């Protein structure tokens, strides 16, 4: 775990991220708040590309909780069978769809507590929905952000909650909305787990990682 970088260094890191990609986008395909919630729930222990392939035919016919309930658990399984843990995920999606219909008028709530009360929805999933749909500066810490935060010194922490808090505490407010997207994309495509592409990294002179690759 690298030491926490200082404020001017972090500001410059995110200034560069913003200059390179002013409006970073999540890579999970969705049509509305409900399909975003479902896509993120399905993405646990699966790749975004794999989820997108599975939902390409699903979302056009089940883009609301009501339509998902009409499709039913077995109908949903037929679409998501290629995704890991598909049976348990199908159960959760049907359960959360029923709760949305019965308690929220078929709408996805904008409260973290309400989102986390839904089956199969943890803090990370709730934060993704809050950030991408409701435009809250919520920080969804996945494996890429956890690795980058600790490796670089941007947001070191011993667990995902600690890294989330470090992001909130140390990244300037002007960058908070897009911070987790910049970090996910950088961790996924540049600061990779096994062999980071330090030679192609736009923040390599600011990063605290000592074992930089050529």
């Amino acid at each position: 775990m690298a030491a926490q970088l200082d404020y001017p260094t972090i500001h410059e890191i995110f200034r560069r991220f913003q200059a390179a990609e002013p409006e970073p986008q999540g890579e999970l395909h969705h049509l509305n708040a409900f399909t975003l919630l479902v896509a993120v729930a399905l993405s646990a222990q699966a790749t975004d590309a794999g989820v997108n392939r599975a939902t390409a035919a699903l979302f056009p016919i089940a883009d609301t909780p009501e339509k998902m309930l009409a499709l039913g658990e077995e109908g949903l399984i037929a679409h998501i069978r290629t995704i890991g843990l598909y049976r348990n995920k199908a159960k959760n999606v049907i359960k959360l769809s029923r709760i949305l219909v019965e308690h929220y008028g078929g709408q996805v709530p904008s409260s973290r507590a309400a989102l986390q009360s839904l089956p199969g929805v943890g803090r990370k999933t709730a934060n993704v929905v809050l950030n991408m749909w409701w435009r809250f500066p919520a920080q969804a810490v996945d494996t890429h952000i956890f690795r980058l935060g600790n490796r670089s010194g941007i947001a070191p922490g011993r667990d995902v909650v600690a890294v989330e808090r470090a992001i909130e505490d140390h990244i300037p407010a002007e960058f908070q909305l897009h911070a987790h997207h910049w970090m996910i994309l950088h961790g996924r495509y540049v600061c990779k787990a096994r062999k980071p592409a330090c030679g192609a990294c736009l923040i390599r002179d600011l990063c605290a990682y000592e074992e930089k690759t050529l």
Side-chain angles (χ1 to χ4, degrees):
M1 183 189 301
Q4 175 70 58
L5 295 174
D6 60 24
Y7 181 90
T9 302
I10 292 177
H11 190 282
E12 174 59 17
I13 284 172
F14 283 89
R15 186 200 66 77
R16 293 183 191 180
F17 283 158
Q18 184 181 61
E21 186 67 56
E23 291 288 330
Q25 301 294 319
E27 296 186 320
L28 283 172
H29 298 167
H30 59 281
L31 306 175
N32 52 31
F34 174 68
T35 54
L36 174 61
L37 174 63
V38 172
V40 181
L42 293 176
S43 71
Q45 299 182 52
T47 65
D48 287 1
V51 172
N52 290 338
R53 285 192 295 271
T55 59
L58 171 65
F59 288 160
I61 63 171
D63 61 348
T64 68
E66 294 85 356
K67 292 178 183 177
M68 190 66 75
L69 288 173
L71 181 63
E73 189 173 319
E74 291 304 317
L76 175 55
I77 284 174
H79 286 278
I80 66 169
R81 195 180 297 274
T82 56
I83 299 175
L85 307 175
Y86 67 88
R87 288 196 180 277
N88 191 53
K89 290 177 180 178
K91 283 185 174 66
N92 285 334
V93 169
I94 295 301
K95 287 179 182 177
L96 71 83
S97 296
R98 184 169 292 110
I99 292 171
L100 291 178
V101 170
E102 293 177 354
H103 298 284
Y104 297 98
Q107 302 300 308
V108 175
S110 58
S111 154
R112 180 185 284 117
L115 286 167
Q116 285 190 249
S117 73
L118 298 172
V121 178
R123 187 178 181 87
K124 185 183 79 170
T125 297
N127 281 349
V128 171
V129 174
L130 289 172
N131 182 280
M132 290 182 63
W133 192 259
W134 298 111
R135 306 285 288 182
F136 293 169
Q139 307 301 332
V141 178
D142 71 350
T143 183
H144 301 297
I145 291 181
F146 185 79
R147 179 177 65 254
L148 176 62
N150 279 290
R151 180 184 276 172
S152 67
I154 292 173
R158 296 194 178 279
D159 55 44
V160 293
V161 174
V163 170
E164 180 182 333
R165 288 174 179 162
I167 292 172
E168 293 171 344
D169 290 345
H170 297 286
I171 293 175
E174 65 194 278
F175 302 123
Q176 286 279 330
L177 179 61
H178 293 314
H180 94 274
H181 275 134
W182 283 317
M183 292 181 73
I184 285 172
L185 295 173
H186 194 73
R188 181 175 290 164
Y189 297 112
V190 181
C191 196
K192 302 173 186 177
R194 293 187 179 180
K195 189 177 181 182
C198 298
C201 177
L202 56 82
I203 63 166
R204 61 185 175 275
D205 58 317
L206 304 173
C207 170
Y209 185 52
E210 295 181 353
E211 300 175 26
K212 292 185 176 69
T213 60
L214 297 177

